[in-house]
Amino acid sequence: MSARLARVFKRCKEAHRAALVGYLTAGDPNPEQSQELLLSLAAECDIIEIGMPFSDPMADGPVIEAASERALAAGTHIQDVFHLSQAVRLANPEIGIILMGYANVPYVMGFERFAERAEKAGVDGVLIVDIPPEEGAICDEALKAHNLDRILLLSPTSPDERIHLACAKGSGFIYYVSLTGITGAEMGDIIEIQNKVAHIQSISEMPVCVGFGIKTAAQAAAVGRFADGVVVGSHFVNQIASQQNHHQSVAALSATAMALRAAMHREINAG
Amino acid sequence: MSSLEHPLYNFEITHAPDAGGHFGRFGGRFAAETLMQPLLEIEQAFYAAWADPEFHRERLDLLKNYVGRATPLYHAERLTKLSGGAQIYLKREDLNHTGAHKINNTIGQGLLARRMGKKRVIAETGAGQHGVATATVAAMFGMQCDIFMGREDMARQMPNVLRMRLLGANVIPVDSGTATLKDAVNEALRNWVASCEDTFYIFGTAAGPHPYPLLVRQFHTVIGQEARAQILEQAGRLPDVAIACVGGGSNAIGLLHPFRDDLDVRLVAVEAAGYGLKTGKHAASLAAGKAGILHGNLTYLLEDDEGQVLGTHSISAGLDYPGVGPELALMLEEGRLELDAATDDEALTALQQLTRSEGIIPALESSHAIAAGCRIAATMREDQIVIINLSGRGDKDMDNVFKHLGWLEEKQ
């Protein structure tokens, strides 16, 4: 695990709370405003997940798909993604930074060049939705050579052998998808999520972050009681799409993240 | 059938991908974790079914008595005369029930879905032929059926939309992206992630994540196996050229694969050149694309310098796809596949030529193969043979064709 991500999880553990992982799509609604939005969210998060816009985001729901379309329409390039990551890094030396996206953009760039640029921009890990552990041969070496964690997903449909596979091939943390569906759908049953997360934690030392469908402070608090991290994506992206103007979006992001974080604290302390 | 033997068909899986579904550097299973288990289950079910004589007995019985196979191989003498050159034979997939080759695959996958105990099937569709073939099988098996279709394609292929509804399928319009076939695939995948427990995704072409390229190919090789036996019987020898149009590549791999080891047979894939390859408005992923990863497989893609997938253009909705099956990508790279292309205008001309010379109205997709096939035949000797896959009939395209010919305006 990257030293910085290890410190993030250690800090959160000592503070008796789960890490708050916030997602935004890079370049949404355009590269300039995206920087301010990312910085606003990053200030309240332990880990920031920066989405690399793609023309065909197959695992994403309408909210994040629309963010990708806005970013691409505004002329967001992969260089902007690195530039934005670097801006977040400069402002937040200790935050965890994860790039999330689909295989084709880094594949076409070349994973070696991609990993080199990501490392330079201060990125800690990479989550490519459509490269399962079995297809890791095309990227694992390049990511490792540039000290980037390979974040792998697990889902409710993953049987034990896939859990072992992901824990063996992945690093940084396990991203547990709370539901069999796309981003932004309704969160799955909390007891089932808790049982599965406990099972993964019994197999691996790696921290487990839970995402997909977590929108409310109450949900974040409930998941944060047992998970090492709570990922919130569509709900943050919605703050951009639903507000009247950029200034309001920046303020709404900050306020929403702060509220989620506060809720996660209280629940842990009360428990 | 008591064992895996049949006078016409053979069930050996040749040129199989590796265990991970790779055809050379192409193919694979680039899928989200949520889809990995469902895909592995389909792979297991497919191999188990393929080894089971009962599966083939059921499948071949339906292909014969429901679909109407074997389809004829027709010596098109007037078209041959018109082109001047090699003898042209047409593999009449247009005579299949539902009017195209697509049903070979939906029968196979439908049977697989039933064996796996799935109650619902979903599919993407471009021209609507795969959607109709899926809806047909769903009706026959009594399964619930949802078809995802780009809104743009729905407008171009309204008769097929209405046929699917008549068959009891729910046609779900897709507005995202370019509102065509690739976006319909995205939406079907999204739906499947959330429904895979009771739902089977009947994928329409020999692309997508493993095992789809393999199983779609296996279900379509009846085309080439029949054609090979028929030409041996009719002409006493193998063809010099076998030719098919390519969008995703299911009819092409179905015709061409059984000739793959006949090294004297030239295999030709005809892509949609749209307004012309130089205009950038086409769907020729093999000719003009580069390697990329989309919809679960590594293959040739029409994409920009940063890997964003490009919109495509073709007069035929069924060829309007920015990717292509991974096995065809490998065959091209190995030099086993030749490329050709036909523009919108050439396809329209070929459609009229075949219709007037032989009384057969081909689908716009197949018209691309007719156009290139006639052009190639013209360069050959009269004692040579070209087999063209006539993958579908043209009824669904009539409005579109009349519009392009300006006949609808004349009426007013």
Side-chain angles (χ1 to χ4, degrees):
Chain A
M1 195 193 317
S2 91
R4 200 185 284 116
L5 278 182
R7 288 199 296 277
V8 168
F9 286 109
K10 182 160 177 278
R11 247 189 346 263
C12 290
K13 201 169 180 183
E14 283 167 2
H16 300 288
R17 63 180 182 83
L20 177 60
V21 185
Y23 170 95
L24 284 180
T25 302
D28 175 28
N30 59 56
E32 295 73 38
Q33 295 185 341
S34 177
Q35 176 159 335
E36 211 179 327
L37 292 162
L38 276 164
L39 288 173
S40 162
L41 180 63
E44 305 301 331
C45 289
D46 303 293
I47 296 173
I48 191 127
E49 214 184 305
I50 302 177
M52 301 184 278
F54 182 48
S55 53
D56 293 80
M58 292 150 279
D60 284 302
V63 170
I64 292 180
E65 180 184 31
S68 230
E69 285 181 1
R70 284 193 297 267
L72 291 174
T76 305
H77 295 276
I78 185 68
Q79 298 307 335
D80 295 311
V81 175
F82 296 128
H83 174 81
L84 290 165
S85 306
Q86 194 152 24
V88 172
R89 171 55 66 224
L90 287 173
N92 306 274
E94 278 301 304
I95 197 171
I97 302 180
I98 306 299
L99 290 184
M100 181 171 186
Y102 294 83
N104 202 42
V105 171
Y107 175 77
V108 167
M109 186 178 183
F111 279 100
E112 170 57 36
R113 231 179 100 220
F114 170 82
E116 188 194 336
R117 290 287 289 113
E119 185 186 24
K120 274 201 190 126
V123 171
D124 300 302
V126 175
L127 195 173
I128 309 285
V129 178
D130 52 351
I131 306 186
E134 287 90 336
E135 297 289 355
I138 64 165
C139 66
D140 286 352
E141 208 174 299
L143 297 183
K144 203 170 170 192
H146 292 282
N147 306 304
L148 295 167
D149 278 320
R150 165 113 144 98
I151 317 293
L152 288 174
L153 297 159
L154 283 173
S155 80
T157 54
S158 309
D160 270 8
E161 64 255 34
R162 298 201 59 76
I163 297 176
H164 284 285
L165 187 65
C167 292
K169 299 275 186 180
S171 63
F173 59 87
I174 288 289
Y175 187 130
Y176 181 69
V177 176
S178 74
L179 51 92
T180 48
I182 50 180
T183 54
E186 288 307 310
M187 196 178 87
D189 178 73
I190 189 83
I191 302 295
E192 278 176 36
I193 299 171
Q194 181 167 7
N195 289 342
K196 192 87 173 189
V197 168
H199 184 58
I200 298 167
Q201 284 165 334
S202 76
I203 288 172
S204 167
E205 302 267 289
M206 250 193 292
V208 179
C209 298
V210 176
F212 279 42
I214 299 171
K215 295 183 186 78
T216 66
Q219 287 171 329
V223 172
R225 231 178 273 137
F226 54 84
D228 300 293
V230 176
V231 189
V232 178
S234 300
H235 188 55
F236 285 141
V237 173
N238 253 334
Q239 305 305 318
I240 302 177
S242 64
Q243 297 298 327
Q244 299 272 330
N245 58 48
H246 175 61
H247 182 73
Q248 283 180 12
S249 298
V250 173
L253 266 180
S254 178
T256 310
M258 225 185 286
L260 285 171
R261 209 156 95 136
M264 283 157 68
H265 253 294
R266 272 202 306 274
E267 286 286 331
I268 292 286
N269 291 343
Chain B
M1 204 185 340
S2 59
S3 66
L4 281 182
E5 270 177 40
H6 189 277
L8 187 53
Y9 305 115
N10 93 63
F11 307 102
E12 193 193 342
I13 298 180
T14 60
H15 299 279
D18 73 10
H22 303 95
F23 295 89
R25 70 179 177 116
F26 300 105
R29 184 149 39 203
F30 291 90
E33 177 62 27
T34 30
L35 287 180
M36 287 302 283
Q37 197 55 27
L39 288 167
L40 289 163
E41 283 165 16
I42 291 180
E43 182 188 347
Q44 267 182 355
F46 167 72
Y47 279 117
W50 198 260
D52 178 0
E54 180 55 25
F55 176 75
H56 293 293
R57 194 197 57 73
E58 242 182 315
R59 186 172 67 92
L60 296 179
D61 178 67
L62 285 170
L63 287 180
K64 182 179 173 195
N65 298 313
Y66 184 74
V67 175
R69 300 206 76 92
T71 59
L73 182 72
Y74 169 67
H75 186 188
E77 294 187 51
R78 277 173 48 83
L79 185 67
T80 298
K81 204 166 283 170
L82 199 64
S83 307
Q87 303 303 310
I88 296 173
Y89 286 78
L90 303 174
K91 182 59 176 162
R92 298 290 310 273
E93 291 300 298
D94 60 318
L95 293 178
N96 282 323
H97 178 43
T98 73
H101 70 292
K102 292 289 185 189
I103 197 158
N104 301 326
N105 173 45
T106 59
I107 290 274
Q109 291 197 43
L111 281 170
L112 213 49
R114 204 175 61 175
R115 279 170 85 99
M116 294 175 77
K118 306 292 182 184
K119 304 276 180 264
R120 171 178 175 258
V121 293
I122 58 170
E124 82 293 341
T125 197
Q129 288 304 103
H130 176 58
V132 167
T134 301
T136 298
V137 167
M140 180 185 57
F141 286 159
M143 289 171 166
Q144 194 193 327
C145 179
D146 291 314
I147 304 290
F148 295 86
M149 190 170 188
R151 202 179 281 279
E152 171 109 347
D153 290 337
M154 287 178 71
R156 288 197 278 189
Q157 312 277 201
M158 193 39 79
N160 270 347
V161 173
L162 301 177
R163 282 165 83 195
M164 289 185 265
R165 288 195 180 134
L166 190 61
L167 286 159
N170 181 24
V171 183
I172 301 168
V174 177
D175 287 309
S176 60
T178 56
T180 58
L181 180 53
K182 83 173 172 74
D183 310 287
V185 174
N186 292 340
E187 216 50 47
L189 284 169
R190 289 179 183 129
N191 184 283
W192 195 41
V193 168
S195 65
C196 52
E197 206 162 309
D198 70 345
T199 298
F200 190 103
Y201 183 2
I202 299 190
F203 200 74
T205 194
H210 184 56
Y212 284 111
L214 171 68
L215 68 87
V216 173
R217 176 188 92 186
Q218 290 306 118
F219 292 143
H220 277 308
T221 48
V222 290
I223 303 171
Q225 290 183 11
E226 287 172 12
R228 196 174 181 286
Q230 287 163 328
I231 197 70
L232 285 174
E233 194 193 317
Q234 292 179 32
R237 64 180 194 86
L238 290 175
D240 298 279
V241 177
I243 185 162
C245 66
V246 173
S250 67
N251 91 83
I253 201 74
L255 175 73
L256 303 182
H257 190 265
F259 292 104
R260 197 162 161 188
D261 294 325
D262 300 316
L263 296 180
D264 292 334
V265 180
R266 287 167 56 196
L267 308 181
V268 181
V270 186
E271 293 189 301
Y275 296 134
L277 289 183
K278 284 185 187 140
T279 64
K281 303 251 182 237
H282 56 75
S285 34
L286 286 167
K290 43 191 182 62
I293 299 168
L294 179 70
H295 295 152
N297 62 155
L298 204 163
T299 186
Y300 281 108
L301 284 184
L302 292 170
E303 58 191 347
D304 70 13
D305 291 343
E306 294 189 10
Q308 306 296 345
V309 181
L310 295 172
T312 50
H313 166 78
S314 168
I315 190 171
S316 66
L319 301 183
D320 217 346
Y321 182 67
V324 63
E327 188 168 8
L328 291 172
L330 176 66
M331 285 166 67
L332 179 70
E333 217 163 72
E334 287 179 345
R336 186 66 188 95
L337 187 69
E338 293 174 38
L339 278 191
D340 209 320
T343 62
D344 290 354
D345 288 344
E346 288 171 324
L348 268 173
T349 303
L351 180 142
Q352 295 169 81
Q353 271 180 350
L354 178 62
T355 302
R356 290 189 187 169
S357 63
E358 299 286 355
I360 298 171
I361 305 177
L364 276 170
E365 289 77 13
S366 322
S367 300
H368 288 73
I370 303 291
C374 291
R375 205 192 306 131
I376 290 171
T379 67
M380 296 165 64
R381 296 190 317 269
E382 281 180 18
D383 63 342
Q384 292 185 298
I385 294 172
V386 172
I387 294 181
I388 304 174
N389 201 9
L390 184 48
S391 55
R393 69 176 184 225
D395 307 43
K396 71 184 173 63
D397 293 316
M398 290 300 97
D399 273 1
N400 199 7
V401 168
F402 298 152
K403 203 178 74 196
H404 277 90
L405 295 176
W407 292 3
L408 296 184
E409 287 133 48
E410 272 172 35
K411 228 172 31 180
Q412 288 157 2

